[in-house]
Each structure stands twice: as structure tokens, then as C-alpha cells.
Amino acid sequence: MARERQLSPRPAPARSLSRRSLLGGAAAGAAGLTAVSAGTAAAATSAASRTVDVAIVGGGIAGLTAARDLVAGGRTVAVLEARDRVGGRVVNLKLANGGFTEGGGEFIGPTQDRIKALADSLGVATFTTYNTGNNLLYKDGTRTPYDTSGLLGSVPPVDAAGLANAAIVQSELDSMAATVPVDTPWTAAKAAEWDKQTFESWLNANAIVPSAKFLLDLACTSIFSAQPRELSLLYVLYYIAAAGNDSNAGTLERLTDTANGAQESRFVGGSQQVPIKLAATLGDRVVLSAPVRSITKSGSSYVVTADGITVTATRVVVALPPPLAARISYDPLLPAARDQLTQRMPMGSIGKAIAVYDTPFWRADGLNGQAVSDSGVVRSTFDNSPPDASYGALMGFIEADEMRAYDAASEADVRTAVLADYVNYFGSKAKSPTSFVLQRWDNEGFSRGGPVAYAPPGVLTEYGAALREPAGGIHWAGTETSTFWTGFMDGAVRSGERVAKEVLAALG
């Protein structure tokens, strides 16, 4: 069983229905795809110390992108990564057959321009997510294959009343989202009204047909790995608005679709190739196994103390999700608004379960491996096989309430439950995989969930302005701070590019 060792940080001193992109966590796989180590990154040692212009906390895509741009701007940097690998919520998991699969973020799609540009610059190609054949709907114990090339596209074939209601609700959400500024959603004309209610309360008043409510609930858990009751309506509208770029308005359909949506493509060699190759360009500026414990202002500088290394810098970039950034000890204390924000943005609850087979047998049955369900531990699946189909891989997302129910379960129990779902969806051949890998992000010490830290009611209007506002010489990055494609790899890249410009301007 290939999976990331579970790291627990020591306490600091006194979006039709498919998938999205940004998670992370385990060991790199595939030939030539080893974790950044001795030849490129440095390992922290007990007596190590450095003095640089900018210390960067976090070696995920956001932190590495910021480092790249700061170095290009003539500044010295040190990237401190808590794990023994780079990538954060993006990772490749080794398989028993010598292959690999993505344990975290893996998909990209239209308008995700910055991650695509970064991958292109590093020579990491993409291929189209397998999408040939029928999707599956498993509802009320009935298995229904359906063609996605018709008028409904990938929308599951529920009853006509439900489809009509869901279409109205989706159109209304897109219209409302179009009024939300992606850089300052808390300034929307109806921000106060929308932020005082949950997404569920709004759905209960608008998705009045049960089958429509099922579709919207499934879209919510698939996008956020959180239940509708946990999310602010304003935050959901902002997230929809952010699923685009400067030239294309965000839509719910783009969040949830495979073809022409956020799940359209994958990376040849696995998504972790992007941060690994990016880190290789930075060499020993990247320090692994160095969880940061404190950030202390000392005169005109900051002292960043991590396990095995201390870095003195003029500026600091913290490229972590808000709840993890809050676990660092700051002296002086952060502004109250920033600290209150981090106390109120939890991580979603998510896992990925991948069953590996000799062949992608479902393709011979005319299926594309994509299923959605109203029951089971896995409610949505994808074909995660390699582009040459040299073996088959079914990937299932375990999300929100379902993930929380299995956080403390044994891996054997999770495997049993997942395979029972796969048999329901794809038949008896799914019962006996050659191997099985599981990544539970809730239990991973330097993520504690995923794919994104979300905002419950009241957070954006009261504390949203603190999301990107520097605290003295401390600046904030990470996909949660992006104005487009929040929660995705593209958002991570955009945040790194934005914070690098911010820091370069501050340094003059």
C-alpha cells in the first residue's frame, strides 16, 4: 500500500457533476519522478541558518511559483517545506505494478491558463481525461448508464421535473455569481444578504424538487468536499465567479464538467511533476522536512524558525491554507482580523481511493468510468488509468460527511466499503483489484483536509479583507487567496505570481 506517511506537526512554541483539482499528499512515483531530494533540495540540519531577502513557508505550487518569480526578480529566497517532498496538496502515489496515480490535485481545464503556462514552461504535457462511453447514475439502488453527447450533456438523467428545476437553479446561481467581484466578494451589492445564509437554506427554498436537490447537493460535495449546510451562499457564488478568467465569466457548469470543464485534462507523468520540476529549477533554495514553528520580527527583519533551520529575511511569504497558517506562532501577534479569519475557515473533508486492475475493463462495457451516486462511501468516480491504458485504475472521491464517517476506520474497512460501491457501479470485476491505494487528507498532518479552506456564513463580509492583506512584512499566498480558480492548482499558481509582484514592489 503506497501512501504518504502521516505527519503530525508538533505544537508551535509559547462542480452536470464531476470534479475539481487541488489537493495533495504522498510519495512521488513513475520512472524519473522521485521527490526533490539531495541533488536539488536541501535537507534541514540541526545547525543550519540562512539570511535571504524572502523566506517562503510552504513548498506547494503557490510557494514554489512565488520563489521562481522572486528569483527572476533578482531576490534571494529560501523555501521551507514541512514534508519530505514538494507539492503540498498535489502528489503522485506509487502503485504495486510500478506505475503511479494522483493522490491529490490532478485535473485542469479551460481558463486555467496559469497552471497550463507553468506546466508548458517545465515541459509537462497534458492528455485528455478518459471520457469515451457512457456515464453512470446510481440512484435508489438502480444503475443507469447514460450518454453524455445529447442535449443534457453530463447531467444525470433524473426525472423531468428535477431536471427542469435544477436547470433553473443553476441559471440563477450563475446570474447571482456574475454580480460578485472575484477580488472583493464581500463588496457585492447583496453580499450581506447572501453571507448570512447557508447554501443549504438557499437550496431548500429554490431546489424544491427532490431530484434537483440531489443534483445540487452532489455538485456541492463534489466541488467543496463540504455539505451545503456548512457553506456560506456568498462563498459558493464567489467560487462560481472564480471559475473563469479575465475574459470568461465563471460558471457552475465549468466547475463540474469533464469535457470543456475543470476535469478536462490530466498531466502526462502525473500532476506532481509540475512542482517537482519547478523545485528542481530552484535547487537548494528549497529545504524539505522543515516545518515552520514561529515567525518573529527582529528589528527590520523576520526570523523564521523551522525544525533544523532558521532563516532571517526582510519579507516572509506564508503559502499555506489559512487554518494551517494559524498554527505558526507569530511575534508580534497577527492583526486580530487575520487571526479571526483563520479561526473561521475550515478545510473540507476528502479522501481518494484508487483500485487498480490489469485492464480498464469498464471501457469494454461502454463506460467511461465516471459514476455519480446517492449512496455509498464513494459518490463520484473517474477513470484514472494512464494514457496508454497499460492498466486500469478507478478513482473515487470520499467527501464531506462520508469522509468524516471513515476518518477513524481501518484501511481494510475503507477498502471493503469502497469496493462494494465499485461493484454496484461497474459490476463484479471491480471486486478484485490487483492493488488499492488510499489517501485520507483529513488525517494528513500538514493538510488536515482539502481541497480548499472554505468560508461558512458571516466570514467573507466580516473578515474577507484580511485574506490577502499583508501583516507588516508577512504576505499571504495559497490557492485560497486567488481571485480566479480558488481551490485549484491554477489558483495556487496565480496566488504565487500575485504575491511575488507584491513583495518585489515592497522591496523596491
Side-chain angles (χ1 to χ4, degrees):
M1 171 63 193
R3 56 182 302 185
E4 184 173 19
R5 66 186 173 91
Q6 301 302 294
L7 301 172
S8 297
R10 296 192 296 275
R15 306 154 122 144
S16 48
L17 305 166
S18 298
R19 229 28 213 136
R20 94 324 253 145
S21 284
L22 188 69
L23 308 171
L33 196 61
T34 55
V36 175
S37 58
T40 50
T45 61
S46 59
S49 64
R50 297 188 189 183
T51 299
V52 295
D53 295 323
V54 186
I56 298 172
V57 182
I61 290 177
L64 295 172
T65 298
R68 174 203 64 180
D69 289 1
L70 287 165
V71 169
R75 294 297 177 174
T76 57
V77 304
V79 180
L80 302 176
E81 168 53 45
R83 299 173 174 91
D84 59 2
R85 61 165 184 86
V86 294
R89 287 167 276 178
V90 176
V91 70
N92 290 350
L93 304 174
K94 291 179 181 176
L95 299 175
N97 64 8
F100 66 93
T101 192
E102 292 94 341
E106 61 179 285
F107 299 112
I108 70 167
T111 74
Q112 294 187 9
D113 312 310
R114 301 317 302 154
I115 183 64
K116 183 62 164 60
L118 174 60
D120 287 347
S121 73
L122 297 168
V124 181
T126 60
F127 68 100
T128 302
T129 302
Y130 189 80
N131 199 33
T132 301
N134 290 331
N135 282 30
L136 280 174
L137 169 64
Y138 188 83
K139 190 173 186 296
D140 300 324
T142 299
R143 177 181 177 273
T144 306
Y146 63 98
D147 186 357
T148 63
S149 63
L151 290 176
L152 294 178
S154 58
V155 178
V158 297
D159 58 274
L163 290 171
N165 187 200
I168 292 170
V169 170
Q170 178 171 317
S171 177
E172 181 66 13
L173 287 169
D174 285 346
S175 295
M176 294 160 67
T179 71
V180 176
V182 292
D183 53 346
T184 55
W186 46 89
T187 67
K190 294 187 176 181
E193 174 187 339
W194 292 338
D195 204 31
K196 70 181 180 182
Q197 60 184 302
T198 65
F199 186 40
E200 178 159 38
S201 65
W202 186 88
L203 285 178
N204 287 341
N206 291 273
I208 57 177
V209 179
S211 56
K213 182 65 160 51
F214 157 69
L215 294 178
L216 274 299
D217 283 350
L218 184 57
C220 177
T221 54
S222 294
I223 293 167
F224 300 101
S225 299
Q227 302 296 145
R229 67 176 184 270
E230 300 176 283
L231 299 158
S232 158
L233 173 60
L234 177 62
Y235 182 76
V236 171
L237 296 174
Y238 154 67
Y239 211 86
I240 294 171
N245 58 17
D246 288 323
S247 304
N248 298 272
T251 65
L252 180 59
E253 185 176 26
R254 189 177 295 120
L255 275 171
T256 59
D257 269 358
T258 300
N260 300 312
Q263 289 66 237
E264 184 173 74
S265 300
R266 297 168 59 197
F267 289 109
V268 176
S271 53
Q272 199 190 4
Q273 280 225 75
V274 175
I276 286 174
K277 289 193 171 187
L278 179 54
T281 69
L282 296 167
D284 64 4
R285 298 179 183 91
V286 180
V287 183
L288 302 178
S289 301
V292 170
R293 307 302 178 181
S294 65
I295 299 174
T296 302
K297 194 166 192 310
S298 177
S300 60
S301 299
Y302 287 86
V303 178
V304 181
T305 303
D307 289 3
I309 186 170
T310 299
V311 176
T312 301
T314 305
R315 295 273 163 166
V316 180
V317 171
V318 178
L320 302 176
L324 297 184
R327 298 182 184 188
I328 297 171
S329 176
Y330 299 86
D331 184 10
L333 296 174
L334 294 178
R338 170 70 193 185
D339 197 68
Q340 292 285 321
L341 173 79
T342 63
Q343 293 178 43
R344 287 165 167 79
M345 289 189 73
M347 302 297 290
S349 296
I350 189 166
K352 293 180 79 173
I354 302 97
V356 180
Y357 305 89
D358 289 332
T359 64
F361 62 84
W362 50 92
R363 297 184 184 181
D365 296 331
L367 302 174
N368 61 18
Q370 295 174 44
V372 294
S373 175
D374 66 347
S375 62
V377 61
V378 167
R379 305 289 177 97
S380 63
T381 68
F382 277 88
D383 182 330
N384 251 42
S385 308
D388 63 1
S390 55
Y391 56 88
L394 281 175
M395 182 272 287
F397 287 101
I398 311 173
E399 309 194 78
D401 282 351
E402 284 68 48
M403 186 69 263
R404 289 187 281 263
Y406 278 86
D407 279 340
S410 70
E411 189 168 305
D413 285 346
V414 178
R415 183 182 190 274
T416 297
V418 168
L419 293 183
D421 290 338
Y422 290 179
V423 169
N424 285 336
Y425 307 153
F426 301 106
S428 59
K429 292 179 182 177
K431 185 177 182 179
S432 303
T434 58
S435 61
F436 181 88
V437 293
L438 175 66
Q439 178 66 31
R440 287 184 276 192
W441 288 101
D442 295 17
N443 296 343
E444 199 282 305
F446 294 115
S447 292
R448 300 318 306 260
V452 66
Y454 62 85
V459 174
L460 286 181
T461 49
E462 188 67 26
Y463 305 105
L467 190 60
R468 290 183 295 274
E469 181 67 25
I474 302 173
H475 303 254
W476 313 104
T479 190
E480 287 82 3
T481 71
S482 184
T483 54
F484 287 112
W485 288 110
T486 305
F488 291 72
M489 291 183 284
D490 189 75
V493 176
R494 290 175 187 271
S495 79
E497 293 174 338
R498 185 264 307 159
V499 82
K501 291 176 182 176
E502 187 178 286
V503 171
L504 287 171
L507 291 174

